[in-house]
Amino acid sequence: MEKYGLVIVHTGNGKGKTTAALGQAVRAWGDGLRVCILQFIKGGWKYGELKTLETLAAADGRIEIKQCGLGFTNTEEHEEQEHKEAASKALAMAREAITSGDWDLVILDEINYAVKFGLITVDDVLALLACRPKDLHLVLTGRDAKPELIEKADLVTEMKQIKHPYEQGIKAQMGIEF
């Protein structure tokens, strides 16, 4: 089978964009692919998936996850410029991961949020797509994917929220939502 790298976008207002991308990462790792995951917004928190991926990474080093962001952008904990600097560093890391030849799958988690919040531009992301080797799989996640990115993608999935437990006063559950 000829290998053809796909550009995949997970977007929409429903839950499951990162979860789907991480499921793809586990599948790829299980099939022997080398996987790099860069998270553009998440930072500092320890999620269940981090523990799993760290365990897989310890097994053979074929999977790596890095939290590049400073966390939620609507808090007073960090200034907007600090978020922009973190996103710029994540963008440079993404370019390196994409062009290095070290990975078969690169996941840019929450990169669509980074564009939405003005931390990076859609042109920055299009430049990443332009430098992608044709056999590299690339996954972009986050709400409000720009039409230009959707146009360039091979596969786009929109997660649509129908019902959410938060609407019923149920807080996020460990092992399910974080």
Side-chain angles (χ1 to χ4, degrees):
M1 174 175 55
E2 181 182 346
K3 184 177 175 191
Y4 179 87
L6 299 174
V7 175
I8 300 168
V9 174
H10 296 306
T11 193
N13 70 342
K15 181 177 169 8
K17 296 171 288 291
T18 296
T19 302
L22 296 180
Q24 185 70 59
V26 170
R27 173 185 286 154
W29 180 88
D31 282 334
L33 276 64
R34 301 161 300 156
V35 182
C36 177
I37 305 158
L38 301 175
Q39 295 185 305
F40 272 72
I41 303 294
K42 288 185 181 93
W45 286 18
K46 285 292 185 187
Y47 300 90
E49 62 257 30
L50 291 177
K51 297 171 193 170
T52 300
L53 295 170
E54 288 167 358
T55 301
L56 295 178
D60 64 10
R62 284 187 296 108
I63 194 164
E64 181 177 286
I65 185 167
K66 293 181 183 176
Q67 290 183 309
C68 305
L70 301 175
F72 298 108
T73 58
N74 60 350
T75 66
E76 295 179 14
E77 188 175 346
H78 298 283
E79 297 291 328
E80 181 179 357
Q81 187 56 36
E82 291 176 290
H83 285 288
K84 285 184 176 183
E85 289 170 9
S88 179
K89 288 178 185 175
L91 196 63
M93 291 170 66
R95 179 176 290 281
E96 171 62 27
I98 288 167
T99 60
S100 70
D102 293 339
W103 308 105
D104 301 300
L105 169 63
V106 174
I107 296 172
L108 304 179
D109 188 34
E110 302 169 327
I111 194 166
N112 294 329
Y113 286 123
V115 172
K116 175 183 178 174
F117 298 138
L119 305 178
I120 60 175
T121 69
V122 70
D123 288 337
D124 292 330
V125 183
L126 291 170
L128 291 178
L129 296 180
C131 74
R132 178 184 66 90
K134 74 174 194 157
D135 61 345
L136 177 79
H137 301 293
L138 184 61
V139 178
L140 313 173
T141 75
R143 292 181 183 208
D144 301 316
K146 295 292 185 187
E148 300 94 324
L149 299 177
I150 290 171
E151 176 66 28
K152 294 281 186 185
D154 299 296
L155 172 63
V156 179
T157 301
E158 181 179 9
M159 312 300 190
K160 181 180 175 187
Q161 180 175 310
I162 305 296
K163 186 176 182 180
H164 196 288
Y166 184 78
E167 296 167 339
Q168 300 158 23
I170 301 171
K171 293 185 178 181
Q173 299 295 299
M174 185 171 70
I176 302 299
E177 294 180 287
F178 65 94

